[in-house]
Amino acid sequence: AMTQAATGQSPRTPRLLIISHDVVGANMAGPGIRYYHLARVLTKHVQVTLAAPVQDEGTAATAAAGETPFAVTPYRRGQWETLEGQVAQADVCLFPSDVADELPQLAESRACLVVDGYDPLMAEWLALSRNARRRPEQVAQWRVDWHVRMEALARQYRIGDFFVCASERQRDWWLGLLEASGRINPATFDADPSLRRLVDVVPYGLPEHPLPPAKAAIKGVWPGIEAGDRLALWGGGLWPWLDPLTAIRAVAPLRGRHPRLKLVFPGTRHPNPTMAGMPNQVEAAKVLAAELGVMDTAVFFGDWVPYADWPHVLQESDVALTLHFDTVE
């Protein structure tokens, strides 16, 4: 900036490239929502481009139903040539930690690399792959896959110039990982004894604008759910580390005393086609609901709520719940 001022030039607005590994569009899961809003907030300060993966049908997801204040570009996961031009123009690249392995060429770029570690990938991988090791040969392959996963994750600790995560507890986890990888050393400690210049917290936020006017999204809209019913909302997917079956077992005996109680699982089909094969408990939950006689009477399953409708779903819900098994995830 001083050199530009001396030559009479205006300082150039820094260029930030955010790389999402999940779809960004009308239907989004947690990662897509996080990177969409990071782009939305940061575009007030820097020139932002959000890179979103191309979906299976070959069309890029758009960042929202309407226009966005930042540029959106498609790319193909793991294919460097589809993103190389955008990286070459960027001063800073922010990306989820798995991208460090999918695009190792990032390490050779001139951009400052910010690794987002809000998603505990090893903990999730262990839970997702747990049922795939029932026979001895499967256990052997599982160990091989674990070693590959470890090597993939290790690249992120080396590639990052700066790391962010979503909570102080996650930051403790990251400090341990970075210490084990040699990133907490005399140089990083001398630069900042608090190590906030190495890893800091960027939590999930809340939009600064007020909620929109209430509108029916489930009550009186979904068959079997009336406007006067009491809605219990399950807040996410049905992944192996969650316990939707206990929620269903709790609702079943309450039907007699609370006939208007309706438990809703609004998201059973992930908007990212590449996630379709991930282990989940959707079928087990539906089978249990049918066995207990509460399917489509007290327990309801939806595909995926459009992101624009989510505020309305929250406003009309009476109870929100999420149950977790006691796992490291």
Side-chain angles (χ1 to χ4, degrees), residues 35-288:
Y35 297 119
Y36 167 72
H37 281 292
L38 281 174
R40 183 185 61 81
V41 170
L42 291 173
T43 197
K44 301 173 184 177
H45 308 283
V46 294
Q47 182 180 331
V48 176
T49 297
L50 174 61
V54 174
Q55 300 189 54
D56 284 354
E57 61 269 23
T59 57
T62 55
E67 294 184 359
T68 60
F70 50 85
V72 181
T73 187
Y75 81 101
R76 292 189 178 277
R77 290 190 62 174
Q79 297 185 21
W80 172 246
E81 64 276 9
T82 65
L83 205 54
E84 182 177 8
Q86 293 291 339
V87 173
Q89 298 177 36
D91 299 300
V92 180
C93 291
L94 186 154
F95 48 87
S97 55
D98 245 10
V99 170
D101 177 58
E102 294 180 5
L103 300 173
Q105 298 90 340
L106 283 166
E108 306 302 321
S109 74
R110 67 172 185 84
C112 176
L113 304 180
V114 180
V115 177
D116 181 22
Y118 97 103
D119 201 346
L121 294 174
M122 177 56 78
E124 289 191 357
W125 182 86
L126 289 168
L128 291 170
S129 62
R130 189 176 187 182
N131 292 330
R133 51 184 175 99
R134 297 183 178 180
R135 297 194 300 272
E137 63 272 19
Q138 290 177 318
V139 172
Q141 183 59 49
W142 186 76
R143 289 173 177 164
V144 171
D145 293 342
W146 166 81
H147 194 270
V148 171
R149 179 93 283 242
M150 282 291 296
E151 289 183 337
L153 290 177
R155 294 186 181 97
Q156 65 186 299
Y157 313 135
R158 297 192 296 267
I159 200 175
D161 297 301
F162 181 58
F163 299 83
V164 296
C165 55
S167 68
E168 289 295 333
R169 187 173 183 185
Q170 282 193 346
R171 184 172 183 266
D172 290 340
W173 173 277
W174 270 92
L175 285 170
L177 291 170
L178 293 172
E179 180 184 55
S181 302
R183 295 301 306 272
I184 296 179
N185 52 53
T188 52
F189 183 82
D190 189 52
D192 177 13
S194 74
L195 297 175
R196 293 283 173 181
R197 292 178 63 179
L198 179 65
V199 53
D200 211 344
V201 176
V202 179
Y204 247 83
L206 291 172
E208 65 272 21
H209 53 75
L211 284 168
K215 184 179 72 173
I218 294 180
K219 291 183 178 181
V221 177
W222 286 24
I225 303 179
E226 305 300 329
D229 286 343
R230 302 284 283 175
L231 197 64
L233 177 70
W234 181 267
L238 285 77
W239 305 116
W241 50 86
L242 302 176
D243 186 13
L245 304 187
T246 292
I248 295 170
R249 292 191 185 100
V251 166
L254 292 173
R255 284 189 65 201
R257 284 182 292 152
H258 302 282
R260 287 194 172 276
L261 174 61
K262 306 295 172 70
L263 172 62
V264 173
F265 295 93
T268 61
R269 184 178 300 172
H270 200 285
N272 189 341
T274 63
M275 305 283 281
M278 286 181 61
N280 60 61
Q281 300 185 75
V282 173
E283 288 308 313
K286 290 182 177 180
V287 168
L288 178 62

